[in-house]
Amino acid sequence: MPKFQTTRSVRHAPDQMFDLVADVEKYPEFLPLCQRLEVRSSRERDGKTLLVADMTVAYKMVRETFTSQVLLNREARQIDVKYVDGPFRYLDNRWTFEPRGDGGCEVGFDIDYEFKSRTLGLLMGSMFDYAFRRFATAFETRADAIYGPDTVALR
């Protein structure tokens, strides 16, 4: 069962990084393998937002779409992704955004998943591992492009 976990120290404020990760419809513009992302529904309750979204990932001749629930919890500085439907047996993903004293933050990314099909797991597994390892860099590069490379001075 593949699992990947990383923490990155970035120059951007926790709210900025939260907003960047929460803007899921922009993922196809910069995220490895993400070909399409469509939000099916969005509802707010108790200061949290729950999205249901379809994400299509593609690599060479393989193209798969899966549905997930994305819980945006700004107060807790946390984003939780739960698998609903598609090629996985399960997929759990959590983002955390912890402030640093200098105005930047520590971004945590944790994902645990398993494909339903052993064949698809063998075919796409190593490619997914590679993509997940590049996710943190993709989000950091996107933050630099949107907020500027020296955002830490915002305190």
Side-chain angles (χ1 to χ4, degrees):
M1 286 146 260
K3 184 174 182 148
F4 179 73
Q5 184 176 13
T6 188
T7 302
R8 296 283 292 255
S9 186
V10 299
R11 298 179 296 262
H12 308 287
D15 286 344
Q16 290 176 315
M17 294 306 295
F18 181 94
D19 290 343
L20 189 83
V21 175
D23 192 6
V24 298
E25 290 176 301
K26 296 278 199 266
Y27 286 10
E29 296 177 19
F30 69 95
L31 201 58
L33 306 180
C34 183
Q35 185 177 55
R36 184 178 141 288
L37 199 141
E38 181 182 346
V39 174
R40 283 192 198 181
S41 66
S42 174
R43 63 179 203 249
E44 290 192 39
R45 191 168 118 195
D46 301 327
K48 300 173 189 161
T49 302
L50 181 66
L51 307 174
V52 175
D54 292 331
M55 182 178 192
T56 301
V57 294
Y59 181 73
K60 296 186 181 182
M61 300 292 288
V62 179
R63 185 172 188 238
E64 291 287 341
T65 299
F66 63 96
T67 304
S68 58
Q69 288 184 332
V70 182
L71 181 62
L72 308 173
N73 187 340
R74 181 178 294 281
E75 185 178 330
R77 293 187 176 109
Q78 188 169 297
I79 297 174
D80 289 303
V81 180
K82 299 291 182 194
Y83 174 72
V84 175
D85 187 41
F88 297 98
R89 179 164 288 132
Y90 68 88
L91 181 145
D92 291 311
N93 173 217
R94 173 171 282 171
W95 290 88
T96 57
F97 310 90
E98 295 298 325
R100 287 193 332 237
D102 65 357
C105 75
E106 300 291 323
V107 177
F109 175 78
D110 189 0
I111 191 161
D112 186 15
Y113 67 97
E114 183 178 357
F115 286 100
K116 285 180 188 172
S117 158
R118 188 169 165 83
T119 304
L120 188 60
L122 290 171
L123 183 64
M124 296 199 55
S126 62
M127 184 253 322
F128 262 63
D129 286 345
Y130 174 73
F132 291 144
R133 293 179 194 287
R134 293 183 48 211
F135 273 17
T137 302
F139 279 97
E140 191 171 353
T141 300
R142 176 78 169 174
D144 286 348
I146 290 173
Y147 304 124
D150 298 318
T151 315
V152 149
L154 286 177
R155 289 185 211 189

